[in-house]
Amino acid sequence: QVQLVESGGGLVQAGGSLRLSCVASGTIRRIDAMGWYRQAPGKQRELVADISSGGSTNYADSVNGRFTISRDNAKNTVDLQMNSLKPEDTAVYYCNAKVATNPLFQSRNYWGQGTQVTASS
């Protein structure tokens, strides 16, 4: 019903930048929050940043000031600009969106397939 497709991961030297993009498609009536999570090997998935439909943002302390999340409601996209990358930012990054497929239904979580981000020291 709903697909999230990410792009933009890759390998970068510490201190470098990457931009992740995610587009949602399918039977979409409403998208509430959108966000990015990450999971490093042996660790739990954690919130990196999210953004409400009204544009309010929330960041993990570890990325605040270095990463910027943005979204385009007309295009159903969410981006994550990552600057000053550190080796500890290395992880698989997942796009998340809370989507309602029917105007009478509550939104539910959908996930992208994940994209690898590696910051080498």
Side-chain angles (χ1 to χ4, degrees), residues 21-81:
S21 296
C22 174
V23 58
S25 63
T27 307
I28 298 172
R29 291 293 186 156
R30 184 184 76 251
I31 301 180
D32 295 330
M34 301 184 80
W36 291 92
Y37 289 70
R38 67 186 182 188
Q39 187 167 19
K43 294 188 176 181
Q44 290 189 331
R45 190 173 298 190
E46 63 177 0
L47 173 69
V48 177
D50 61 17
I51 182 168
S52 71
S53 57
S56 297
T57 58
N58 176 48
Y59 294 93
D61 289 343
S62 59
V63 307
N64 200 16
R66 299 187 296 121
F67 291 9
T68 303
I69 190 170
S70 59
R71 68 186 281 177
D72 185 327
N73 291 334
K75 297 180 179 179
N76 293 335
T77 60
V78 60
D79 292 345
L80 184 69
Q81 177 65 43

Side-chain angles (χ1 to χ4, degrees), residues 5-23:
V5 178
E6 301 126 335
S7 60
L11 173 65
V12 65
Q13 286 191 332
S17 299
L18 284 173
R19 187 177 184 88
L20 304 182
S21 296
C22 174
V23 58

Side-chain angles (χ1 to χ4, degrees), residues 93-112:
Y93 284 68
Y94 297 90
C95 176
N96 170 268
K98 294 176 173 57
V99 180
T101 57
N102 183 300
L104 299 179
F105 293 168
Q106 287 187 332
S107 58
R108 53 156 288 193
N109 275 319
Y110 290 88
W111 295 91

